[in-house]
Each structure stands twice: as structure tokens, then as C-alpha cells.
Amino acid sequence: DVQLQASGGGLVQAGGSLKLSCTASEGALTTNIGWLRQAPGKEREGLACLSYKDRSTVYADSVKGRFAIASDGAKNTVYLEMNNLKPADTAVYHCQPYPNCGALGVFERAIPDKYLSADKGTQVTVSS
């Protein structure tokens, strides 16, 4: 069972930027990859998805124009570049395989908690 690990989070001021990375425990990433976040007391939110087949992307309205998802040439890492960060973006960010990018906004609710443990994600904190 290939595990995904998110990294690159941190503390940033409102208006700042961060670039998150998603890597697999073994091998290249050979499936659709989505980024999602979970904040205390809030529902999981799917943010962005990158299609493995045609490299198309899908974004949630809340991050469209501010976040960008992309992979490196070797497809070993999927990035989430986040600009113009807001305090509302504060959350633990995770990456996960998605069956298709059209499922962004729905699929994340069905992901078992064990795949979204804190040690698999990366904390992003945006101060005002």
C-alpha cells in the first residue's frame, strides 16, 4: 500500500506564499493526485486535483487563482503552490489519490481517517 506524504507547511503571514510537496513512499506517482485540507471543527475540503492521464487540473472555488497544482517532470512529486494566503487557509494539508478529478469536492469525505493522520499531512498556519 503506497503511502503519500505531504511536506512544506509552516507559519506565514497573510498575503504570503508557501509551496507544498507530495511524495510517495515508493516509486513515482502514477495516479490522479488531489490536495485537501482539514481544519479543526470544519469539514474536509478538496482544493485541487491533477489528472495523471492528461495533466488537466481542477480547483475548488475557494482557492482558484491563488493555488496551483503541478508535478515535476519525473512525476515523483506533486506540488501545491499557494499564494496570497489568508488566515482562513490555516489547516492541515494532505495529498491523496483521487479516482478522477471530477470527484474533487466529494471524494475527500469518503477517505478513511487512517489515511489522513496528522503525521501524513503538513500544517499550514496563516497569521493575520
Side-chain angles (χ1 to χ4, degrees):
D1 199 21
V2 176
Q3 299 292 315
L4 299 184
Q5 180 68 53
S7 61
L11 173 64
V12 64
Q13 287 189 329
S17 299
L18 282 174
K19 187 174 183 178
L20 307 184
S21 299
C22 176
T23 54
S25 57
E26 53 184 78
L29 295 168
T30 57
T31 185
N32 309 310
I33 296 295
W35 282 94
L36 62 123
R37 65 189 177 192
Q38 188 155 20
K42 295 184 180 180
E43 285 192 357
R44 293 173 189 170
E45 182 183 11
L47 304 173
C49 185
L50 176 66
S51 167
Y52 176 74
K53 181 177 179 181
D54 62 10
R55 319 314 292 166
S56 61
T57 57
V58 176
Y59 294 95
D61 288 344
S62 60
V63 303
K64 202 173 291 183
R66 299 191 298 127
F67 291 11
I69 188 171
S71 68
D72 64 358
K75 300 178 184 176
N76 291 324
T77 304
V78 173
Y79 302 100
L80 185 69
E81 184 152 10
M82 308 186 296
N83 298 306
N84 191 20
L85 283 161
K86 306 173 182 180
D89 295 317
T90 295
V92 177
Y93 285 66
H94 296 270
C95 54
Q96 281 291 301
Y98 269 62
N100 63 79
C101 286
L104 188 75
V106 177
F107 178 71
E108 52 275 353
R109 302 172 195 171
I111 299 172
D113 289 345
K114 67 177 182 179
Y115 294 114
L116 299 179
S117 58
D119 63 327
K120 297 287 193 300
T122 188
Q123 176 72 46
V124 171
T125 303
V126 184
S127 62
S128 56

